[in-house]
């Protein structure tokens, strides 16, 4: 029985659902509490779920095939339900996590960049949830991060606002302070007032890539919402944006995480290193015509080798 719970926790993390280790462990605490209640009621004799945890894995380098092309990003945005179209471009254009994109509000907009401060709580879609927004991962409530925005992101924001007005949500922060946000992704149909969940966005994302035909030979999805974040990071790094800046924009705990995940996507530094060292040691190319004929021939031969 205990082995079953251990396998369940591992499968939950490895199934591609995008759940972090901390999230899985939090869920297992809830599972253990449920089983413990059954023990108290004497329905079962032992709580096999007690203490089940999975260890934090080292960051895994992203597979280049798991990064969509610009055309594929547009395809996903075209086929997803219109309400979530902006979320696709917020992820692909600013590298936000799904939970951060779904918490996008009017206060995030700044001239030339977005300021990210909140993410949607895992309980936000519950009608009785009092804290639909929580601080960013690895951050305190007062902390935020700024991310530059390309023109297409600004245009998508404007298009979204042209179709839907922001919805006011008032909630209580972790320190008891009342906070008001004008959010972009509150539902406009059934369940008004209930925030969208990561699961609902993931469901719509899955429908979108199926409609767009973005599946492999086995009929499985080529991408997940996290793939859009990979698109942002890999595009920036491949075009010379410093990795420490990309790391800060992604909200990683340390730049090591960014290097472990995306370091292999950086442009090759071999030729650049050769040129830099050559200019440092021999800033002026040798004039072979001034060398004795034997030395010039030898030098030319060495260069050919």
């Amino acid at each position: 029985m205990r082995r079953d719970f251990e396998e369940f926790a591992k499968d939950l993390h490895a199934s591609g659902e995008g759940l972090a280790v901390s999230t899985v462990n939090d869920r297992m605490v809830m599972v253990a509490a449920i089983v413990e209640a059954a023990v108290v009621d004497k329905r079962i004799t032992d709580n096999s779920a007690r203490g089940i945890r999975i260890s934090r894995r080292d960051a895994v380098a992203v597979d280049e095939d798991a990064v969509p092309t610009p055309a594929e990003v547009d395809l996903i945005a075209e086929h997803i339900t219109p309400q979530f179209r902006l979320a696709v471009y917020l992820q692909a254009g600013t590298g936000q996590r799904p939970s951060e994109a779904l918490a996008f509000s009017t206060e995030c907009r700044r001239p030339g960049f977005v300021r990210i401060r909140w993410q949607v709580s895992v309980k936000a879609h519950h009608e009785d949830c009092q804290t639909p927004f929580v601080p960013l991962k690895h951050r305190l409530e007062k902390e935020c991060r700024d991310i530059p925005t390309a023109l297409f992101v600004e245009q998508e924001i404007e298009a979204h606002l042209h179709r839907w007005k922001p919805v006011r949500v008032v909630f209580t922060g972790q320190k008891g302070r009342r906070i008001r946000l004008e959010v972009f992704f509150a539902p406009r149909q059934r369940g008004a007032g209930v925030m969208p969940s990561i699961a609902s966005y993931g469901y719509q994302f899955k429908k979108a890539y199926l409609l767009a035909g973005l599946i492999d030979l086995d009929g499985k999805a080529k991408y997940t919402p996290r793939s859009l974040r990979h698109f942002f990071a890999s595009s920036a790094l491949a075009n010379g944006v410093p990795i420490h800046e990309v790391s800060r924009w992604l909200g990683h705990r340390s730049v090591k995480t960014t290097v472990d995940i995306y370091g292999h996507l950086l442009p090759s530094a071999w030729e650049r290193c050769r040129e830099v060292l050559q200019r440092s040691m021999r800033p002026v190319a040798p004039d072979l015509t001034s060398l004795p004929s034997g030395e010039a021939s030898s030098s030319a031969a060495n260069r050919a080798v």
Side-chain angles (χ1 to χ4, degrees), residues 94-111:
T94 62
Q96 295 180 55
R97 299 178 175 92
S99 58
E100 296 167 347
L102 294 179
F104 197 79
S105 67
T106 54
E107 78 152 16
C108 296
R109 298 191 69 186
R110 306 297 167 101

Side-chain angles (χ1 to χ4, degrees), residues 183-229:
V183 298
F184 281 38
F185 294 109
R188 274 79 179 173
Q189 299 176 357
R190 291 184 303 171
V194 179
M195 295 299 299
S197 66
I198 305 302
S200 64
Y201 175 53
Y203 172 74
Q204 295 297 336
F205 191 93
K206 183 177 181 179
K207 285 181 60 178
Y209 68 65
L210 289 175
L211 289 171
L214 299 177
I215 55 178
D216 60 21
L217 294 178
D218 295 324
K220 295 182 179 180
K222 290 180 64 176
Y223 307 116
T224 68
R226 189 176 295 271
S227 302
L228 300 175
R229 188 166 152 88

Side-chain angles (χ1 to χ4, degrees), residues 243-245 247 252-260:
I243 195 167
H244 68 277
E245 294 286 4
S247 180
H252 284 161
R253 186 189 296 271
S254 72
V255 71
K256 179 182 181 302
T257 300
T258 317
V259 172
D260 290 344

Side-chain angles (χ1 to χ4, degrees), residues 83 86 101-108 118 120 132-133 160-161 164-171 180-188 193-196:
Q83 182 188 353
L86 175 59
L102 294 179
F104 197 79
S105 67
T106 54
E107 78 152 16
C108 296
W118 303 99
V120 172
F133 300 103
H160 185 95
L161 290 175
W164 293 290
K165 293 182 179 179
V167 175
R168 178 175 299 178
V169 175
V170 178
F171 64 101
R180 183 179 66 192
L181 294 179
E182 304 284 338
V183 298
F184 281 38
F185 294 109
R188 274 79 179 173
V194 179
M195 295 299 299

